[in-house]
Amino acid sequence: MTETVSQALQDRALIEEATKKSGLIWVRGNAGPARALWHLWHDQAACLVGGGDGEQPLDDLGLTDGGTATVTVRSKDKGGRLITWQATVVEPAPRSEAWQSAVDELKGKRLNAPDADTLTERWARECRVLRLVPTGAADQRPGQMPADSHAAPPLATPAITRRPAPAALPKLLRRGRKG
């Protein structure tokens, strides 16, 4: 019993520290693939803002108030997956005390906002502020990682086109190495 409690406390500490230090987290909701999202650790949860005009997209992830999400955090120094944890999605009402507390922290981290003076009003009007609250022990952590890579094929997009390399390309590449 004490070993389980000890592991849960270690997981909680690792979740908090890794999420605080990471600039991006990968979030998978009830729909769609996991997406990298910028966030801020505040009040025992990963807080993020999205949707609306000019913010990170959240609508196709299936993140609903009271729903669940899987959060994957990378190692800051190595860049690989460090920990994966389950979260409960909480969407505070715009302009509520919890919403305002999260927004006050998030707006300081929002880089290059085109409307820095009216950012809070736009977020209240157009965007969603979400809190991802950890729910228990980590699914994956150092010493308990799956054997498969979790690599996913790239999503289909019209921007990807494959054409044969020009016949002169190998000669051009060889010439560049000599000079």
Side-chain angles (χ1 to χ4, degrees), residues 117-130:
D117 298 337
T118 59
L119 186 66
T120 303
E121 291 81 23
R122 181 171 58 86
W123 283 355
R125 189 177 58 251
E126 299 176 10
C127 299
R128 299 173 64 201
V129 174
L130 301 177

Side-chain angles (χ1 to χ4, degrees), residues 80-102:
R81 180 179 52 217
L82 180 60
I83 190 164
T84 299
W85 46 278
Q86 296 300 310
T88 298
V89 179
V90 177
E91 185 171 1
R95 297 188 174 86
S96 67
E97 187 177 324
W99 184 89
Q100 192 63 50
S101 175

Side-chain angles (χ1 to χ4, degrees), residues 6 22 28 43 53 61 63 84 125 127-129 140 154 172-173 177:
S6 174
S22 182
R28 181 186 308 273
D43 197 22
D53 209 18
L61 291 176
L63 298 172
T84 299
R125 189 177 58 251
C127 299
R128 299 173 64 201
V129 174
Q140 299 172 13
L172 291 172
L173 291 174
R177 285 189 208 144

Side-chain angles (χ1 to χ4, degrees), residues 17 51 56 58 77 106 118 134 142 153 160 163 174 178-179:
E17 282 303 309
Q56 57 192 351
L58 296 177
D77 58 342
L106 284 164
T118 59
I160 296 176
R163 295 185 183 151
R174 278 194 305 271
K178 291 178 184 176

Side-chain angles (χ1 to χ4, degrees), residues 149-171:
S149 73
H150 284 234
L155 297 175
T157 173
I160 296 176
T161 56
R162 296 289 297 177
R163 295 185 183 151
L169 185 61
K171 184 186 283 185

Side-chain angles (χ1 to χ4, degrees), residues 7-91:
Q7 185 61 57
L9 290 174
Q10 289 176 1
D11 284 356
R12 182 65 181 192
L14 182 58
I15 288 169
E16 184 172 340
E17 282 303 309
T19 307
K20 275 182 186 178
K21 291 181 179 182
S22 182
L24 292 174
I25 54 176
W26 278 258
V27 178
R28 181 186 308 273
N30 296 328
R35 175 169 294 135
L37 301 171
W38 72 271
H39 70 288
L40 173 77
W41 185 265
H42 173 68
D43 197 22
Q44 304 300 310
C47 298
L48 47 101
V49 64
D53 209 18
E55 300 299 335
Q56 57 192 351
L58 296 177
D59 296 336
D60 60 343
L61 291 176
L63 298 172
T64 58
D65 190 27
T68 60
T70 302
V71 179
T72 302
V73 182
R74 69 185 179 102
S75 166
K76 182 141 176 119
D77 58 342
K78 302 286 185 189
R81 180 179 52 217
L82 180 60
I83 190 164
T84 299
W85 46 278
Q86 296 300 310
T88 298
V89 179
V90 177
E91 185 171 1

